[in-house]
Amino acid sequence: MNETLEGDLRLLHSEIQTGLGDPHRLLILFRLATGPKTIDQLARSLDLDQASVARHVQILRQSGLVLASAFRGETRYEVSDDRVPEALVLLRGALRDRLVRREAMADTLSVH
């Protein structure tokens, strides 16, 4: 494997693994893909308590996936790079395709 690629992948893994390692954090990233949100807005849209959302957002910030900015006396959060939610959409699509193929294979096997 190319040393640069291997190094990039190791860095990607170490930098982003924690941020993407929880379904709630993935949902937060999808919510933030539509624009900046406050902790309260995220908590309401996800039906989670504010403390949990704040903890998840902090992890996303530490992973470099989310940025914070002050706006009219509130802290608003946004994705650090629009490619992050795009990558999640691509991965979700690949997973859905895989599940469809698996279901089709199971249907084929059950017929025989």
Side-chain angles (χ1 to χ4, degrees), residues 1-109:
M1 183 183 306
N2 180 314
E3 285 184 32
T4 303
L5 174 61
E6 187 173 335
D8 288 349
L9 293 176
R10 288 182 189 280
L11 184 60
L12 176 71
H13 182 262
S14 69
E15 293 281 323
I16 295 179
Q17 173 190 7
T18 301
L20 300 180
D22 184 279
H24 290 119
R25 290 194 285 276
L26 295 173
L27 285 169
I28 289 169
L29 288 169
F30 274 106
R31 294 296 193 280
L32 293 177
T34 63
K37 308 266 185 305
T38 64
I39 294 294
D40 181 58
Q41 290 169 326
L42 289 167
R44 282 187 280 122
S45 74
L46 297 168
D47 197 27
L48 293 171
D49 63 271
Q50 288 187 4
S52 295
V53 171
R55 186 175 61 252
H56 287 302
V57 167
Q58 181 62 28
I59 292 167
L60 289 167
R61 288 183 69 201
Q62 291 169 345
S63 297
L65 297 169
V66 167
L67 301 172
S69 60
F71 181 78
R72 296 184 181 169
E74 292 185 307
T75 303
R76 294 174 58 164
Y77 301 91
E78 61 187 307
V79 292
S80 61
D81 188 315
D82 290 337
R83 292 174 292 184
V84 171
E86 291 171 9
L88 294 175
V89 167
L90 289 172
L91 289 169
R92 183 177 181 219
L95 173 65
R96 293 182 90 184
D97 290 350
R98 184 173 140 236
L99 294 174
V100 167
R101 286 192 305 274
R102 184 187 298 167
E103 185 177 316
M105 185 181 294
D107 289 346
T108 301
L109 293 175

